Amino acid sequence: MDEFDEDLIRALQLDGRAQFSALAAELGVHRTLVAQRVRELLDSGEIRIHAAVHPSAVGLPIQANLQLRISGPTSPVFERLSTFTNVVFLSEISGQNQAVVEVWAADREDVARSVRAIQAIEGVEEMQFSLYDRVLRRLRLGEDPELTDLVFDDFDIALIAELQLDGRLTFGELARRTGCSASACRARVMRLLGSGVMRIGAVRSRRSTTSSVLSGVGVVLHADPEQAAAAEEVLLGIPTIEFAARTLGRYGLIATIAARSLADYTDIVRRIRSHPGVYRVETWVHAFVWLERYEWSLDRLARSRTV
């Protein structure tokens, strides 16, 4: 995969409904090339474009990162973890631990139930637990929305359900599927996007053979708050950071890096390590992503109609 593809996918991750003409202007190429390549990426399964609903909007405000050490065969453990409905990200990693599991939960009791159930899986020997204190960047979901005055109705839920299947559906097609006018569909979609409750972007296959390297970093910070804040700013200044969060647990910060190459990955990690606010950096490579979930069932959205 060349630099053009990487830049195009990055742009679609930020805005999955971007017009081909806007993407062409941003990337400095002809619109026809963008349209053709987007269709090829979608047809090949390299990317899919879906609506993602923010976890706090569907009653899942608590998110945790678990790292598991597994003994014996790993596949049965991953297959079991894939059945957990509140596991949204599941990856087989390199290093002393074998799995990264991200869990979204309704409350701390819900997290505790999930943790106990995961610990009970045969083969899971040890677990490192980090609770997200504040998400600083989440490429597919954006910043935390203001939910105080937002109410979902059946029309919202119907639109979200369709866009979770195909985020690039036209307003005309949405009108046909929902029974409402195209102008009403456009106004409501723009309202959902503007509120931050919903975001539409590309999700990479992660299983295709590419030159990119998806990795994770756990950062232990020095106690000095000013140095820690400066280290956080450096981390957020790295454009290929897809996810970053302040955490409670083993690390002060956890981040996901989508580096263009091993050399790029090495340079990024060196930059993080060299900051005076960083005490220690632990790294892992996501060798195989088993699950990356951003879609929720209509039932869950319906139960969260008033937020």
Side-chain angles (χ1 to χ4, degrees), residues 123-179:
V124 174
E125 283 196 341
E126 296 180 19
M127 175 187 293
Q128 294 177 9
F129 179 90
S130 296
L131 189 69
Y132 295 154
D133 183 38
R134 178 178 175 81
V135 175
L136 305 169
R137 175 180 296 170
R138 193 175 346 231
L139 185 63
R140 284 279 287 132
L141 293 168
E143 298 179 0
D144 290 349
E146 294 290 338
L147 301 173
T148 51
D149 298 323
L150 188 67
V151 177
F152 287 136
D153 61 19
D154 289 340
F155 187 23
D156 292 318
I157 293 170
L159 287 169
I160 291 170
E162 294 295 341
L163 291 167
Q164 284 189 146
L165 296 174
D166 182 354
R168 287 189 70 86
L169 286 172
T170 66
F171 294 122
E173 183 63 22
L174 287 170
R176 188 185 70 80
R177 297 187 182 197
T178 62

Side-chain angles (χ1 to χ4, degrees), residues 2-213:
D2 60 21
E3 290 291 314
F4 170 69
D5 278 353
E6 292 290 347
D7 290 339
L8 177 59
I9 291 173
R10 178 75 176 183
L12 288 168
Q13 286 175 319
L14 294 171
D15 182 2
R17 292 181 67 85
Q19 297 293 316
F20 292 145
S21 56
L23 292 168
E26 179 181 344
L27 299 175
V29 297
H30 196 275
R31 180 190 180 280
T32 304
L33 175 60
V34 170
Q36 176 184 340
R37 192 63 187 124
V38 170
R39 283 193 292 269
E40 290 171 348
L41 290 167
L42 288 169
D43 290 344
S44 69
E46 173 64 28
I47 64 170
R48 61 191 196 278
I49 297 176
H50 298 304
V53 181
H54 199 279
S56 58
V58 290
L60 298 170
I62 309 297
Q63 295 115 51
N65 179 288
L66 315 176
Q67 291 196 20
L68 310 180
R69 183 173 293 182
I70 301 169
S71 64
T74 57
S75 291
V77 177
F78 283 99
E79 289 165 3
R80 178 73 182 93
L81 287 166
S82 297
T83 68
F84 283 55
T85 57
N86 59 347
V87 170
V88 300
F89 182 79
L90 176 61
S91 176
E92 196 162 355
I93 61 172
S94 63
Q96 65 177 357
N97 296 316
Q98 286 70 53
V100 164
V101 186
E102 184 172 329
V103 172
W104 291 0
D107 50 39
R108 292 182 183 244
E109 286 187 11
D110 192 14
V111 171
R113 283 191 296 269
S114 297
V115 167
R116 287 193 292 268
I118 291 170
Q119 287 174 322
I121 297 173
E122 184 177 356
V124 174
E125 283 196 341
E126 296 180 19
M127 175 187 293
Q128 294 177 9
F129 179 90
S130 296
L131 189 69
Y132 295 154
D133 183 38
R134 178 178 175 81
V135 175
L136 305 169
R137 175 180 296 170
R138 193 175 346 231
L139 185 63
R140 284 279 287 132
L141 293 168
E143 298 179 0
D144 290 349
E146 294 290 338
L147 301 173
T148 51
D149 298 323
L150 188 67
V151 177
F152 287 136
D153 61 19
D154 289 340
F155 187 23
D156 292 318
I157 293 170
L159 287 169
I160 291 170
E162 294 295 341
L163 291 167
Q164 284 189 146
L165 296 174
D166 182 354
R168 287 189 70 86
L169 286 172
T170 66
F171 294 122
E173 183 63 22
L174 287 170
R176 188 185 70 80
R177 297 187 182 197
T178 62
C180 297
S181 69
S183 60
C185 289
R186 184 185 187 282
R188 193 60 67 91
V189 168
M190 298 308 293
R191 169 181 175 267
L192 289 166
L193 292 172
S195 71
V197 163
M198 181 180 75
R199 190 165 180 176
I200 299 172
V203 179
R204 302 187 68 148
S205 165
R206 306 290 193 194
R207 297 188 182 187
S208 302
T209 303
T210 72
S211 59
S212 61
V213 179

